[in-house]
Each structure stands twice: as structure tokens, then as C-alpha cells.
Amino acid sequence: MILADKESIALTEAQMAVARAPLDGKTWLEGIASSGKTSAGVARVLHLLERGAPAESILIFVPHRSLAQPYITALRAQNDYRGGHVSVATIGSLAQQMVDMFWFLVADAAGFKHPRDLPIFLRLELVQYFMTRAIEPLVDEGDYFASVRIDRPRLYSQIVDNMNKAALVGFPISEIGSRLKSALASGVEQAHIFEDAQTCALAFRRYCLSHNLLDFSLQLEVFRDHVWETPQARQYLRGRCKHLIADGVEEDNPASHALLGDLLESCHSALIIYDSDAGFRRFLGADPASARRLADRCDVRAALDESLVSGRAVKALGSQLAAQLSPSLAAAAGADPRPALITEAHRYHPEMVDWVARQVDMLVGQRDASPNDIVILAPFMSDALRFGLADGLRQRGIPVRSHRPSRALRDEPAARTLLTLARLAHPHWELPPTDFDIVFALMAAIRDLDMVRAKLLCEMLYRHGRLLPFDEVRAVAMQERITFALGERYDRLAAWVNRYINGERADAIDIFFRRLFGGLLSRAGFGFHDDVDAGNTAQNLVDSARGFRWSLDFFSRYDEEIDLGLDYVKMVDRGVIANFYLRDWIADADEGVLIAPAYTFLLSNRPVDYQFWLNIGSEGWSRRLYQPLTHPYVLSRAWLPGAVWTEDDEQRVSRETLGRLLLALTRRCRKAIYLGYSELSESGYEQRGLLLETIQGLLRRLAREERHV
């Protein structure tokens, strides 16, 4: 028996055979999604521990930290094994650990200017911060990217993405520009853009080497080219990793596969798990073809080909949609998929949003569905769409949560509120909030305060960058309009901020956020009370600010001192993309309906009863995001040098990507899929995307076949 979905389930004979394989064998396990591969992997870990393998000799290797949650959950329930702790790693965490451990052996050879000083490891937010410092003058003076119409943080994140892909695939960052130009440059202007991206990447690398900074790409290069070449490092890692379990290798990259190949040569036992229909993280460097080569290094090949989740109609729906999109995904027709589809056409987008809320209410109220077994998915989850869905569900008493990674911290309402109050509480920064920011912050911070009354409070009581007390509102009628209950909450907020301003010393910025959240905003009557999303966002902001402070304290060895709080708020205000925070990916059973982008849901790797696919007419289901500075397929190991990326390539990849996405979604759905469709999008335009055409094509074919019977 093992733990899965917080309940004990029995293993099939095929899973048991994998779990109880000899402790000196290496198994390649391949199968479709939801066939029980990860459950077999979890059982394998527990079997190793039961047979006496020291916990510290086991390494669980995953492409994304969230995919390790089933293993972590099962291990936490065990308390009788010996030998330390089981290691859980990604290529990034393992590279950082090894570089940190062997730094003084390799720093000089790796080209760092200060090899006797400790390194500073950068997460995504800090990479963007230091990239701004390193290349912003170059970009401004050289008029780089003049024709690119995206904001600076997104632009810089694409430069970072190029560097990461170079490290993951294994080519020098000096080749980024030439690879992109040869495949994509259709004119002089596009060629200049790629040259600018190349120049910026090299400038940032020089800046990192001169200041002991290690972004992900540099960590990986130092690990691969220097640390792993030292006998001490190889002996250490091979000595610890006697039992290897690598899950989701099809979503991992060539650098990970090379390391796993080395470890397979020395470990006693191994289980390599491969999803035959996945690989939907190609835009992040996933390389299924590279992963499949690991099968040749294993003694045994096992397969799990039956879904343990999907009903017959849902399974048929996924297979038939995928077969229409790509011949490589074709499968037997199976059952009639129509019973698994529920939809209703709408003219306007708000009508669709209201329909979704009513359908969820029906499922919870009439079919006793658990809110945690319902997900609402879209290719992109805009603020308006998320708000409309969340508001509609909460009005019906249905708990709801949302998760949208790769967003700017400032775009989250809870973070924006804390940042506005931070600017208000630090007048010496000379960054007074605008009236709009104050209105937004008051609405978010004070429970039940609507926009009209928040605007009135701002107009009457926000003066010269400070909040005046509520009794400054002289007109009794105006006080009654706002209500004294809301006025009392406003007074508590204003008094807290003003006491901080008048205090003897300012807190570090992360401590300020923590005190404001814990001492006021999370209390009853205030906006973050009993709000899981707001609490997670606040904690992410605290962690982000703390990491910024610690890193910049080290960095001050090489540069002038800065006001850490001021620089942090400026950095977030510029729109840096947020770090990865594991707490955002961990779902508790009582948290409610999940609202998320489709790929985000897939990375949580959990089945649900009902899925809602919204905006099925949107091109976003199949089309890649516009990224003028990078390209996931050209910067991959499979791309042939000198080949040119064409529109035919784009169409082929779009169809295959959508097919794999639909297979992955349907194999994580037990009962039914609701299709949210409106003729007009949020922006008022007609929608005729590939997903809509594919669904319509399937329904027409089934109708013809039915008539011919």
C-alpha cells in the first residue's frame, strides 16, 4: 500500500513488479499519463527503505520540484527508515549544491574575478535585477531592441531564457545569435535584434564573472565543465547516489540526461520513468528524444499502458482529438466521446463566465462533487477572467483558489497592496503612491470596502503622502456614507502606518512586510483574513525581499551601498517575473476549485473529476507566446544547423503540441470535460482557434458515422 492523492490505494501487479525489482537492477518504465508510473516510483522508494537501503543513498530526480510532491508526501508518512534523508533534486538544485560545495576548487579555473570569495546564487528575480544593472546602460546608449514592443522585464527574461537553453543543450552562449539568425532572421532588422540579444548575453556573463554572481546558466556550466570534471565531485555524488529514481525524464533536458547517464553507470539500482505522450515542456528545454536514449542503459524495460483515471468516454475524447491533430498520436477510436463533453455556446464572454459558475455550482450542489476535484483551465488566465470566475464562485459559496506562475510580483493584488503601503510608510524614499494606488490598496486591505468609498477616503484623507485619521472627515453625512465600521478599520490601518513612520528606526523590507501582514492585514475585518491566495502571495513577497536583502548584502563587497528597501520596491515596480515558490503548487484538499493556465495544472500532476476548458476558440491553446528574442525549437539539440524555421514548421508543431496537451489533460480527468465557448473574446473579437476547429471536426465526423450506421 502507498500514499497517493492522500488516500491509500492498491498497486496493480505491473506496478508491484516495478516496485519490487531487484536492488541491483535498472528499470526503464514507460507508459501513458495516469497509468500509475509515479505511484510505482513511490512504492519503489518505500520498498528500498524497507529492504534496508540507507535513505541518504537514494536520489529522486525530477524536472520540476512540484513533480516530487507524491514522493515527499509518502516519505513524510514514514518514520521508521534509517540513514538520514532521501535526496530530492532537479538539475538546478543539484548543480547549485555541487558548485557551492566545490567552489574553491573550481572558481579560478571558471574565470571568476574573486575566486576566494563566496559566490552569490541568483534566483529569477535577482537575475532580472542584476541584468538591469549590467545591460540597461548598454541598451539605452546603443538603442538596442528599438523595434521590439515588449516591456523590459519580458525582454530581459528572454535573454535569460537563451542563456539557460544554451547551458541545458550544451552549446556556448556565444553561439546564441548565430543560431537564431540562421534559422529565423528574415531581414536586417530581425538580424540586428538577435545580435543585440547576443551582445547583452555576453555582457551579463562578464558582469556575473566579475561580481561572483551565478545565474542558472552559469551554475550549470560551472557544474558541467568544472565541478563534474573533478575526481572529488564525481566520487562524492556517485558515492551517495546508490539508488536512483528519475521521474518525468521526458520533461527534462539534455544536461539532466547526461548527468543521469553518468549516474546510471555507477548506481546499484535505478528506475527511469518516461511518459510516452508528454514532452509538453519543450518551450523550457524538454527533450523527449534525448530522454529515450537512457532506455539503452537499463537492464529491464517495463510498460504501463492502461489509464487508472479516465472513464471510457473521456479516454476516447483525448485519443480522437489527438489523432485529428497529429498522425503520430493516432490511436484506436474506442468509445463514443460525446458523453464526456458538456458545452453551451454563448455570444459574449461574460455569459460564458457566468455559465461556468452555474455549472460548478450544479456539480457541487447536485452531484456532490468536491470543489477540489474541479479545475477551470484556459491557455492564459487574465486578471479579468480570474476575477470574474472567482467572484461568481464565491457568490455561490464555493471555495476557490488560483495559481498563475511566471507573473510579475506587482501584478498580484496582495503584493501590490503591500508595496503601496511600503511606499507610504517610507516617505524618505520619495516614491509617494498615486491616488489610484491608494484606492486599490484601501480596497484590498479593508474587508467590504468598495471602490466608491475607497475613492472618497482617498480624496478626503490622503494628503501629502500621508493618511489622515477618519475623524478628519467633518461631514457627518459623509461619515455615515462610508460607515463607522469601515472608518474604524481605516483608522487602524492609517494608525499602523503612521506609527511606523514615526518610529525610531525602519525595519528591513522583508520584516516590514511580515509585520504588516501578521500584525494587521491578516486580522478579522481586513482583506487578507482567511484568503489563502493573499497569504501565499504575502509569504512569497517576504521570501523574495529576504533573498534580495541577503544577496545584496554580499554584493555590496564589490559595489556601492544601496538602500535595500528602496531598490527592492523599484525592482518589483519594474515588473520582474516572480521566482518559483513551491507553496503555490501544493494543493490542500479543502482549498477549493482551482483556476489556472492549462500547463500549470499539468505540472501539478494530479487527477480531477471535472475539467473546464475555457476560451476554446482562442489561438492560445496551440500557438506559442510571441518571443522575438528566443525560440525553443531552434535552440534545441534536435535542430539541424543551417535549417530555416518556416510557417509549415510552426503549424506542424502547433498541431502536435495541442494534441499532446489534450491527451495530457484528458488522462487526468475522471468524469467529464466542460467546454467554455463564446463567439467573442474578452476583447470583443471573434475566435476561431485550432482547438475549436478540432472539436467541431470531431463532432461532425461522429455525426456522419452515426448517420451511416
Side-chain angles (χ1 to χ4, degrees):
M1 306 294 282
I2 64 167
L3 292 177
D5 293 342
K6 301 186 179 178
E7 298 177 357
S8 292
I9 62 171
L11 294 176
T12 65
E13 291 185 9
Q15 289 173 306
M16 194 68 73
V18 171
R20 295 183 176 177
L23 269 61
D24 59 353
K26 298 161 189 176
T27 302
W28 170 267
L29 176 59
E30 183 171 346
I32 64 173
S34 297
S35 58
K37 301 185 302 300
T38 294
S39 294
V42 172
R44 175 64 176 174
V45 174
L46 300 183
H47 179 69
L48 290 171
L49 295 172
E50 289 169 3
R51 293 291 301 273
E56 65 183 11
S57 70
I58 302 173
L59 172 64
I60 298 171
F61 195 91
V62 290
H64 190 275
R65 185 75 179 185
S66 66
L67 297 177
Q69 280 309 118
Y71 296 91
I72 294 170
T73 300
L75 288 169
R76 283 175 178 166
Q78 308 296 313
N79 53 18
D80 56 352
Y81 59 81
R82 65 184 183 86
H85 297 283
V86 174
S87 297
V88 177
T90 64
I91 187 63
S93 66
L94 190 60
Q96 179 174 333
Q97 176 190 346
M98 295 293 287
V99 170
D100 191 36
M101 186 177 299
F102 296 96
W103 170 255
F104 293 109
L105 289 179
V106 302
D108 193 18
F112 288 90
K113 186 177 180 180
H114 306 282
R116 296 184 180 180
D117 291 343
L118 290 171
I120 303 171
F121 295 99
L122 305 181
R123 298 183 70 186
L124 180 58
E125 292 165 6
L126 280 168
V127 168
Q128 295 167 85
Y129 171 79
F130 283 112
M131 180 166 281
T132 300
R133 293 177 67 108
I135 71 172
E136 191 106 296
L138 185 67
V139 171
D140 291 338
E141 292 169 11
D143 198 27
Y144 286 7
F145 311 115
S147 62
V148 179
R149 297 293 180 260
I150 57 175
D151 57 26
R152 289 285 175 88
R154 294 284 174 182
L155 187 149
Y156 294 159
S157 71
Q158 290 180 36
I159 297 173
V160 172
D161 192 48
N162 284 341
M163 299 175 73
N164 291 346
K165 284 188 170 62
L168 291 169
V169 172
F171 62 86
I173 63 169
S174 58
E175 294 182 9
I176 291 171
S178 59
R179 287 174 177 247
L180 291 171
K181 280 195 297 183
S182 66
L184 299 167
S186 56
V188 175
E189 184 60 44
Q190 188 66 54
H192 280 310
I193 290 172
F194 293 141
E195 290 169 1
D196 293 346
Q198 175 70 82
T199 302
C200 289
L202 293 173
F204 180 60
R205 174 57 56 83
R206 290 192 297 270
Y207 187 87
C208 288
L209 290 171
S210 65
H211 293 85
N212 276 29
L213 305 174
L214 287 100
D215 66 312
F216 175 81
S217 67
L218 190 50
Q219 288 175 43
L220 203 57
E221 287 186 22
V222 172
F223 169 66
R224 182 191 64 213
D225 299 338
H226 300 280
V227 174
W228 195 237
E229 295 303 315
T230 63
Q232 298 95 321
R234 282 182 177 255
Q235 183 179 0
Y236 168 78
L237 192 54
R238 286 177 168 176
R240 287 203 61 178
C241 180
K242 296 302 183 184
H243 303 282
L244 172 66
I245 296 175
D247 200 344
V249 292
E250 78 290 339
E251 303 296 348
D252 228 322
N253 50 74
S256 296
H257 302 148
L259 175 63
L260 291 172
D262 278 347
L263 293 178
L264 280 170
E265 296 296 324
S266 59
C267 65
H268 293 166
S269 77
L271 174 59
I272 311 298
I273 300 175
Y274 179 95
D275 190 327
S276 53
D277 293 323
F280 43 76
R281 275 166 45 96
R282 282 179 171 85
F283 64 98
L284 292 176
D287 192 333
S290 171
R292 192 175 280 280
R293 297 187 188 103
L294 294 173
D296 297 333
R297 301 182 181 229
C298 296
D299 310 315
V300 176
R301 297 195 183 195
L304 296 173
D305 292 325
E306 288 297 321
S307 173
L308 303 178
V309 171
S310 304
R312 292 180 69 247
V314 175
K315 190 185 303 183
L317 175 65
S319 298
Q320 294 182 40
L321 287 174
Q324 283 201 187
L325 288 161
S326 174
S328 65
L329 302 175
D336 185 348
R338 285 173 291 188
L341 278 177
I342 297 94
T343 189
E344 183 177 301
H346 303 92
R347 173 66 175 167
Y348 300 106
H349 195 267
E351 295 173 345
M352 179 200 70
V353 173
D354 184 63
W355 175 79
V356 170
R358 285 188 279 110
Q359 294 300 311
V360 172
D361 189 35
M362 183 270 295
L363 289 173
V364 174
Q366 298 179 21
R367 299 191 184 178
D368 295 325
S370 166
N372 198 53
D373 274 325
I374 302 172
V375 296
I376 301 175
L377 309 174
F380 312 112
M381 193 62 64
S382 68
D383 289 334
L385 179 56
R386 182 177 72 160
F387 176 81
L389 292 167
D391 187 58
L393 294 175
R394 285 174 179 144
Q395 286 181 16
R396 293 167 170 82
I398 299 171
V400 62
R401 60 192 176 87
S402 63
H403 184 201
R404 295 182 295 171
S406 301
R407 278 169 53 82
L409 271 173
R410 69 177 184 187
D411 291 341
E412 297 297 337
R416 187 170 170 182
T417 300
L418 289 166
L419 292 165
T420 296
L421 294 175
R423 293 167 68 179
L424 195 63
H426 297 83
H428 63 281
W429 289 350
E430 298 182 355
L431 288 176
T434 64
D435 288 358
F436 177 82
D437 289 333
I438 292 294
V439 170
F440 183 91
L442 291 176
M443 287 175 57
I446 300 173
R447 181 66 57 89
D448 301 326
L449 182 64
D450 57 65
M451 180 177 289
V452 173
R453 287 183 284 189
K455 192 170 186 299
L456 290 172
L457 285 172
C458 177
E459 290 172 352
M460 294 184 292
L461 300 176
Y462 181 48
R463 294 283 184 275
H464 308 296
R466 299 194 69 159
L467 295 176
L468 303 178
F470 186 63
D471 58 18
E472 289 290 324
V473 179
R474 302 301 182 187
V476 175
M478 191 61 70
Q479 288 181 338
E480 291 176 345
R481 181 177 179 184
I482 293 170
T483 76
F484 288 99
L486 293 177
E488 186 269 338
R489 294 173 196 169
Y490 164 84
D491 260 344
R492 288 172 62 187
L493 175 63
W496 194 98
V497 172
N498 289 327
R499 277 197 306 272
Y500 181 86
I501 293 172
N502 297 326
E504 293 183 2
R505 64 181 182 83
D507 292 326
I509 188 64
D510 55 297
I511 296 173
F512 170 84
F513 289 140
R514 192 170 66 231
R515 285 183 56 198
L516 179 57
F517 173 78
L520 186 71
L521 297 182
S522 61
R523 303 293 179 88
F526 291 90
F528 296 5
H529 182 66
D530 287 340
D531 187 330
V532 173
D533 283 344
N536 282 342
T537 298
Q539 187 58 54
N540 291 348
L541 193 69
V542 169
D543 291 349
S544 167
R546 184 191 301 119
F548 181 86
R549 174 166 60 90
W550 288 350
S551 296
L552 268 292
D553 278 344
F554 278 101
F555 181 75
S556 62
R557 297 172 299 187
Y558 312 119
D559 216 324
E560 75 280 0
E561 283 197 27
I562 62 172
D563 186 324
L564 293 176
L566 175 60
D567 254 39
Y568 178 77
V569 170
K570 284 182 175 179
M571 176 188 77
V572 177
D573 278 345
R574 280 195 297 268
V576 294
I577 310 303
N579 290 332
F580 164 81
Y581 295 100
L582 185 60
R583 68 175 64 88
D584 292 334
W585 296 84
I586 300 174
D588 292 330
D590 58 352
E591 281 188 342
V593 176
L594 173 65
I595 301 173
Y599 282 107
T600 300
F601 167 69
L602 289 179
L603 287 177
S604 68
N605 196 29
R606 67 181 185 90
V608 293
D609 288 343
Y610 301 99
Q611 294 178 10
F612 286 76
W613 300 353
L614 304 193
N615 298 331
I616 61 170
S618 169
E619 289 281 2
W621 282 99
S622 57
R623 281 280 181 178
R624 294 182 300 109
L625 284 172
Y626 173 61
Q627 294 181 297
L629 272 63
T630 188
H631 198 286
Y633 295 95
V634 170
L635 298 180
S636 71
R637 183 169 290 183
W639 189 251
L640 297 175
V644 176
W645 183 264
T646 67
E647 183 58 27
D648 288 342
D649 293 317
E650 191 71 43
Q651 293 291 337
R652 174 182 52 80
V653 166
S654 294
R655 296 183 69 85
E656 183 174 343
T657 300
L658 179 59
R660 291 186 180 278
L661 172 63
L662 299 182
L663 274 178
L665 290 175
T666 53
R667 285 175 176 161
R668 289 164 176 82
C669 181
R670 299 186 183 97
K671 296 181 179 179
I673 290 169
Y674 288 72
L675 302 177
Y677 170 67
S678 62
E679 293 179 30
L680 303 180
S681 67
E682 285 181 88
S683 305
Y685 297 102
E686 289 192 3
Q687 302 184 101
R688 299 293 302 175
L690 181 58
L691 175 56
L692 176 62
E693 292 177 2
T694 304
I695 292 170
Q696 290 175 333
L698 173 63
L699 295 177
R700 285 194 297 268
R701 180 179 64 78
L702 292 172
R704 286 196 304 270
E705 292 175 355
E706 192 173 51
R707 287 195 299 270
H708 292 156
V709 173

